[in-house]
Amino acid sequence: YRLSKKKIVLNSESITVEIRDRFKSEVIISSQKMGRYLDYSIDYDDGTIFFKAPLLSRDENSNPIFIVITYETLDSGESAYNYGGRGALRPFGEGFELGATHVHEGAQGGEANLYGADAALKLTDKTTVKVEAAQTSSGRYGVETSGGAYVAELLHRSEKLEGKAYLREQEGSFGLGQQRGSEVGTKKMGFDAAYKLDVPVTLKGQAYRQSNLTTDALRDLAEAELRYSQSSYNLGAGVRHAKDLFA
């Protein structure tokens, strides 16, 4: 695998293999940190990585596998200041929090900025509402771009019921280059829920709609699962319906 930059700073790389849900790519199912010499070797001058074993594109459940690599470079032609921070305020105690975020990225050919705000409100001890919105703007090589994103969630967790309803949108021009390609230019809405019955049985369900803001493609998904759990075995049965509508 060839990195986009060369002259990598020694020991600055961090490589993680992520498995993401094939229907909801924002959900990380598992994450495994890779070790140098044990799992891979790297050429710092050439910016290339060689894995000791092949990495599949999907796992046994058809969930996509991603390789996430972060590193520092010695390329002096791109020296710039990057800084940011977040502040939070709880004006009415622990039940309400209001936060603000700013990130500045300096890079060769221009600069970029991110401004964000978030809020969390506890409706009850078991129910919370979270809202977050952000706007980015950048000017690289004379090209000005800007975009926005937001997410709203209603979370509930009690002894028997655990669920989440959500609405999230990310414009295609949003971000400072850190966004997953599968999340760019998408809008998602839906819910997840799990209910524990008096017997050792859990009923799970979810439904959502995902739309592509660029192509107007749609995906609808609904599923339900019944799972019986004991110390020595588990039994499960479920049904899933998925439908894609392309432009």
Side-chain angles (χ1 to χ4, degrees):
Y1 292 82
R2 187 174 299 278
L3 302 177
S4 59
K5 305 293 182 182
K6 298 182 179 182
K7 299 180 180 178
I8 309 301
V9 176
L10 295 178
N11 303 321
S12 68
E13 83 281 358
S14 174
I15 302 179
T16 306
V17 176
E18 292 180 353
I19 301 178
R20 291 180 172 261
D21 190 284
R22 66 188 177 118
F23 293 112
K24 295 190 295 184
S25 55
E26 75 276 9
V27 176
I28 299 176
I29 297 177
S30 67
S31 178
Q32 179 184 358
K33 189 74 175 292
M34 308 295 282
R36 183 156 37 100
Y37 304 128
L38 179 64
D39 299 311
Y40 69 90
S41 60
I42 181 172
D43 188 323
Y44 290 106
D45 293 327
D46 194 42
T48 54
I49 295 175
F50 182 81
F51 287 97
K52 298 300 181 65
L55 294 176
L56 302 178
S57 61
R58 293 181 179 273
D59 67 358
E60 65 275 9
N61 296 316
S62 297
N63 297 306
I65 299 176
F66 293 87
I67 303 172
V68 183
I69 305 174
T70 62
Y71 57 92
E72 299 176 20
T73 177
L74 291 169
D75 191 348
S76 60
E78 296 190 5
S79 297
Y81 287 105
N82 299 318
Y83 56 84
R86 179 184 183 275
L89 179 66
R90 299 186 180 94
F92 309 113
E94 296 294 330
F96 177 69
E97 179 177 292
L98 185 65
T101 302
H102 172 60
V103 176
H104 173 83
E105 184 181 82
Q108 185 179 24
E111 298 180 341
N113 290 280
L114 178 145
Y115 300 92
D118 61 272
L121 173 64
K122 281 189 176 182
L123 300 178
T124 67
D125 292 338
K126 300 178 176 62
T127 306
T128 304
V129 176
K130 294 183 178 181
V131 180
E132 183 177 356
Q135 184 77 21
T136 59
S137 60
S138 63
R140 301 284 172 82
Y141 303 102
V143 179
E144 299 288 337
T145 59
S146 63
Y150 67 85
V151 57
E153 295 180 338
L154 176 63
L155 307 169
H156 179 84
R157 176 174 292 181
S158 61
E159 183 179 352
K160 288 191 174 183
L161 178 62
E162 182 175 342
K164 176 178 71 173
Y166 57 89
L167 172 64
R168 57 194 302 138
E169 180 176 326
Q170 179 179 303
E171 295 180 352
S173 55
F174 173 80
L176 304 181
Q178 82 282 14
Q179 260 60 39
R180 300 283 184 268
S182 59
E183 300 301 301
V184 173
T186 60
K187 181 178 181 180
K188 302 180 180 182
M189 64 181 73
F191 73 89
D192 304 319
Y195 184 77
K196 293 182 180 179
L197 303 177
D198 294 333
V199 292
V201 175
T202 301
L203 178 62
K204 297 181 179 180
Q206 70 163 322
Y208 77 88
R209 164 168 284 193
Q210 174 179 326
S211 56
N212 189 301
L213 301 178
T214 303
T215 65
D216 293 329
L218 292 175
R219 164 172 288 179
D220 291 318
L221 182 139
E223 69 175 6
E225 180 186 13
L226 193 65
R227 182 163 293 275
Y228 180 82
S229 300
Q230 290 291 346
S231 58
S232 57
Y233 65 91
N234 293 307
L235 296 175
V239 59
R240 171 186 291 152
H241 173 76
K243 179 181 179 181
D244 290 328
L245 178 63
F246 300 102

